Amino acid sequence: MGAARDPFDFPRHWEADVVLSDGGTVHLRPITPDDGEKLREFHGRLSERTRYFRYFGPYPRIPQRDLERFSTVDHHDRVALIALLGDDIVAVGRFDRLHSGESAEVAFVVEDGHQGRGLGSILLEHLAAAAREVGLARFEAEVLAENGQMVRVFRDAGYQVSRAFEEGVLHLEFAIDPTDESVAVARAREQAAEARSVHNLLHPRSVAVIGASTDPTKIGHAVLKNLLEADFNGPVYPVNAEHRAVRGVRAYPTVLDIPDDVDLAVVAVPAASVDEVMDACLAKGVKALVVVSSGYGETGPDGLSAERRLAAEARAHGMRVVGPNALGVVNLDPKVRLNASLAPKLPARGRAGFFCQSGALGTAILANAAGWGLGLSTFVSAGNRADVSGNDLLQYWETDPATDVVLLYLESFGNPRKFARLARRLGRTKPIVAVKSGRHAVVPGLAATGAKVDEASVQALFEQAGVIRVDSLAQMFDTALLLAHQPLPKGKRVAVVGNSTAIGLLAADTLLAQDLDLAGDPVDVGAQATPEEFAKAVQEALNRPDTDALVVVFVPPIAVPGTAYARALKEAVHGAKPIVSTFLAVEGIPDELRVPGKGSVPSYASPERAVLALARVIRYARWRAAPQGHFTRPDGIDAVRARSIVDNAETESLLDDDKAVELLNCYGIDVVPFRIANSAEEAAEAADELGYPVAMKATSERLRHRTDLVGVRLDIAQQESVKAAYHDLAELSGKPGVYVQRMAPKGVSCVLGLQDDPSFGTLVWFGLSGLVSDLLGDRAYRAVPLTDTDAAELVAAPKAAPLLTGYRGDEPADLKALQDLVLRLAALAEDLPEVRSLKLEPVLASAAGAFVSSARIVIGPPPSLHDVGPRRLR
């Protein structure tokens, strides 16, 4: 505290791009002495009223002495953050430590033209995060009583604010540790801001095509053609320096020559020319860019650097960017009619939103959706995702009234933890279906690191977030058709009705293989049944109280046209329970089975595909109906002491036994008492002290955790036996030293741990010990943070978990104790990202509780922070 610090040397993670409430962006960073002139200009643009509210009196000019003091801070006791739009400061927030203690005075001021955009609340979030890092616990503020806007910023932040009033000035005080309310407030504002930024992108009032070409082989020609043919509801401005018109529309030499405002610019010029185009768009005040040009991150390090500069420049000037190397964006709302993409063929308007990383695949997706009869609300193909990502679209679709189903084709995640949080929240109201490539191939972005993504952990994350994961685009369309047109099932009892015994049995077999229940025997109306008889059987099956869903399998007879049966089926459907069909071997929505709004019956080429689609939807409906659980932090945690232990540990190191036990103790996790003995006599003394019976273990981990227990001696009850065991184990290890440990109550041997996944951050994992479990990879995973429901599901997830619940008459283990242990590990992982791996083995689970016998903890540099701290892009 108080030590001189370089005013140019600030923590780099305090720098961030943030989205404002109107969807625009600004760049946030700590102030430096070089910002003095910018600060003077900012002050000069403030109104007298704003200056009065900030400084409690007239302050028309900043004296040089004050300017130097305001722009020179130590980033510890005195911190100031500036919000930049382009090269201009538009807001400043600062805090000054009071009396070298844990409190600081906080203040901020926003330029008049940018007030009401949420800058005050964002500055407060980022200042509070910085203050916590430098050891502060409270903020104090002096606010003029008539400055209602500033009072609301503090009042609405979710902190418990105390106030005192004296001579027209409010004195406010509040603790800055995050509360449930402050986090909820920040998340709600984040969702609204990011959704608004995507709304601006998909609802432009005008579009410019930069690089619009008269050559039909060029992408600039294709984009303009698609915009015009979609009949965009607004002006379209071709930008072409060589022609006065393109496709009969007046062209302009540059975007700056366009006389009116431009909301969206589609950039279709070579990568080498994009910098010049960017400068013009920034000067024009364009709100969003879609860069279809390639030649960026996909080409190598130089291209990646150019891509990052592109995104940084755009964000700093208030713009969002789709791309580069993007297919484009589509909005099928009849009030918008936007096709700012390279895709010539679009599906009809529907209720599904689609995000796709691959441009080439996106074209095929749009064409297939049209052929299958799957309508879309909006479509975004983001290419290299320099800025706009799938997370932004999840934020938008959450509150988009035109979207009921979300479809994702993902190659990688920009911010996996944020994806999990957003998907989990969105999935409670709108289903998400995802194809995630890289299931078996190495993801290119991870290849250089040598890191391997555990496929089981990927699958667990999707299940935890309620995402319906599919293996192919065909499966995605199968599932999406059902979700878009049929209601969710209330259970897993499925009836089968058809006119072919063989096909009905195929459907029944697939149902049972998917762990679904048959609602009675399959009904076969016979090959000679009339359309009316067929429809009656369908109605009877739907009306049965033990039917949650229906599979209809139909082979058209020779004598009667299939359309008559289709019409009969359509009339029999009442819309309360979901129906899938194998009808005339038609895929998609046959015209005969289409009804306005929800209720069309999707048809699949085989009964297996129909049932698999239904099974995915039933599993999703079960997840959605299950209790959400609560994010629970167990009692008895000493996070301050734990932080001190980690901070004092060597990086890239394995904690010694004493430190590992101490760290676990900070989280209420007790290790069964043990001693390390370096002679037979010490071993005997340790056993006497701990109390008999004892266990003895070799210090070599290679021996200690073998499944044949070659390095372990159990239930030793006499001193002489202790000495004999010591000699055996020391000889086996080839070195002196053994563990002597009090025997824990006998129970099922389990293993529990933390691992750092390169895709998803920290995962908690659980399994039962043993050779078979290890060989089969019988482990379950959950990503932190965990709810109490997550903890219960994790313990029950391994295939061997029935051994914990009284298998074959054994006494059941205390599952609550195991779940509590899981939640304590999750809290440790949240608080201490430096814990890169942790393993508790064995954990003996019995009716008496869960007893940890040993622990292995590795400390290392923390990974990049995932979805923690104040709001920011990425």
Side-chain angles (χ1 to χ4, degrees), residues 375-730:
L376 299 182
S377 58
T378 42
F379 173 86
V380 174
S381 169
N384 296 2
R385 291 180 306 119
D387 178 25
V388 172
S389 70
N391 287 346
D392 294 294
L393 271 298
L394 293 183
Q395 298 277 44
Y396 170 73
W397 284 321
E398 181 178 352
T399 49
D400 176 30
T403 301
D404 294 333
V405 181
V406 169
L407 309 178
L408 306 173
Y409 177 84
L410 302 170
E411 295 169 0
S412 61
F413 296 91
N415 186 330
R417 285 280 297 279
K418 185 172 181 178
F419 171 84
R421 170 171 62 86
L422 299 184
R424 188 175 198 151
R425 188 176 68 204
L426 174 59
R428 291 292 171 182
T429 56
K430 300 180 181 182
I432 303 169
V433 187
V435 176
K436 170 67 171 67
S437 64
R439 183 186 284 263
H440 302 294
V442 176
V443 179
L446 298 176
T449 68
K452 294 181 179 178
V453 180
D454 189 320
E455 177 53 35
S457 67
V458 177
Q459 183 63 25
L461 183 85
F462 278 116
E463 290 176 359
Q464 186 179 357
V467 175
I468 304 170
R469 187 182 189 182
V470 294
D471 294 328
S472 65
L473 290 175
Q475 291 180 5
M476 173 179 278
F477 284 122
D478 285 352
T479 311
L481 282 170
L482 179 54
L483 290 166
H485 295 287
Q486 291 287 313
L488 290 178
K490 291 183 171 59
K492 64 173 188 173
R493 301 166 301 178
V494 183
V496 178
V497 173
N499 65 347
S500 164
T501 299
I503 297 180
L505 286 174
L506 274 177
D509 282 345
T510 310
L511 282 167
L512 295 173
Q514 291 296 310
D515 193 31
L516 303 180
D517 298 332
L518 272 173
D521 294 329
V523 175
D524 181 4
V525 298
Q528 304 304 316
T530 65
E532 291 73 23
E533 291 170 331
F534 177 62
K536 182 181 178 185
V538 168
Q539 266 184 338
E540 288 176 348
L542 286 172
N543 290 335
R544 284 171 49 182
D546 64 343
T547 297
D548 296 313
L550 177 65
V551 178
V552 176
V553 292
F554 178 81
V555 177
I558 297 174
V560 183
T563 53
Y565 290 89
R567 285 194 295 269
L569 173 61
K570 179 179 173 180
E571 291 169 3
V573 174
H574 53 60
K577 299 175 182 179
I579 300 176
V580 293
S581 70
T582 298
F583 201 87
L584 302 173
V586 174
E587 297 191 47
I589 305 290
D591 289 340
E592 297 85 359
L593 296 178
R594 185 180 299 280
V595 300
K598 216 171 177 75
S600 298
V601 179
S603 180
Y604 302 89
S606 71
E608 293 93 341
R609 279 177 55 182
V611 170
L612 288 172
L614 181 60
R616 293 184 201 105
V617 172
I618 287 174
R619 284 193 288 271
Y620 164 72
R622 189 186 310 155
W623 173 86
R624 182 159 148 174
Q628 294 187 41
H630 303 281
F631 289 105
T632 303
R633 188 172 176 87
D635 296 332
I637 290 175
D638 189 345
V640 175
R641 183 161 63 101
R643 166 52 58 193
S644 175
I645 294 169
V646 169
D647 287 346
N648 290 322
E650 294 182 13
T651 57
E652 307 283 358
S653 67
L654 175 67
L655 285 186
D656 63 36
D657 292 316
D658 291 339
K659 288 298 181 188
V661 169
E662 186 181 0
L663 182 61
L664 291 173
N665 183 257
C666 292
Y667 285 86
I669 300 171
D670 295 324
V671 177
V672 177
F674 66 92
R675 303 287 185 270
I676 297 177
N678 290 305
S679 69
E681 287 69 24
E682 286 185 15
E685 290 173 5
D688 290 340
E689 180 185 346
L690 292 167
Y692 292 97
V694 296
M696 296 179 66
K697 307 174 187 179
T699 53
S700 167
E701 196 165 332
R702 174 180 60 85
L703 296 172
R704 190 167 74 249
H705 292 302
R706 279 178 51 162
T707 54
D708 56 8
L709 299 180
V710 68
V712 179
R713 302 290 185 271
L714 301 175
D715 280 319
I716 302 173
Q718 296 178 344
Q719 193 178 85
E720 290 306 314
S721 300
V722 169
K723 292 179 180 179
Y726 176 87
H727 291 301
D728 287 348
L729 293 172

Side-chain angles (χ1 to χ4, degrees), residues 682-824:
E682 286 185 15
E685 290 173 5
D688 290 340
E689 180 185 346
L690 292 167
Y692 292 97
V694 296
M696 296 179 66
K697 307 174 187 179
T699 53
S700 167
E701 196 165 332
R702 174 180 60 85
L703 296 172
R704 190 167 74 249
H705 292 302
R706 279 178 51 162
T707 54
D708 56 8
L709 299 180
V710 68
V712 179
R713 302 290 185 271
L714 301 175
D715 280 319
I716 302 173
Q718 296 178 344
Q719 193 178 85
E720 290 306 314
S721 300
V722 169
K723 292 179 180 179
Y726 176 87
H727 291 301
D728 287 348
L729 293 172
E731 183 178 354
L732 194 63
S733 300
K735 59 180 182 179
V738 299
Y739 288 99
V740 182
Q741 188 169 37
R742 184 185 300 161
M743 279 291 295
K746 288 182 172 57
V748 179
S749 183
C750 305
V751 57
L752 184 64
L754 302 175
Q755 75 179 45
D756 190 42
D757 187 282
S759 286
F760 300 111
T762 304
L763 299 166
V764 184
W765 58 270
F766 173 76
L768 274 67
S769 302
L771 184 62
V772 174
S773 293
D774 289 346
L775 185 64
L776 298 180
D778 187 20
R779 289 181 178 176
Y781 299 83
R782 292 294 184 272
V784 294
L786 266 61
T787 65
D788 50 359
T789 300
D790 291 330
E793 290 176 351
L794 178 68
V795 170
K799 293 181 177 63
L803 293 174
L804 297 167
T805 57
Y807 186 70
R808 290 188 174 178
D810 288 343
E811 189 175 20
D814 182 352
L815 296 183
K816 292 291 185 184
L818 275 176
Q819 293 161 19
D820 180 70
L821 191 54
V822 167
L823 290 171
R824 291 181 183 280

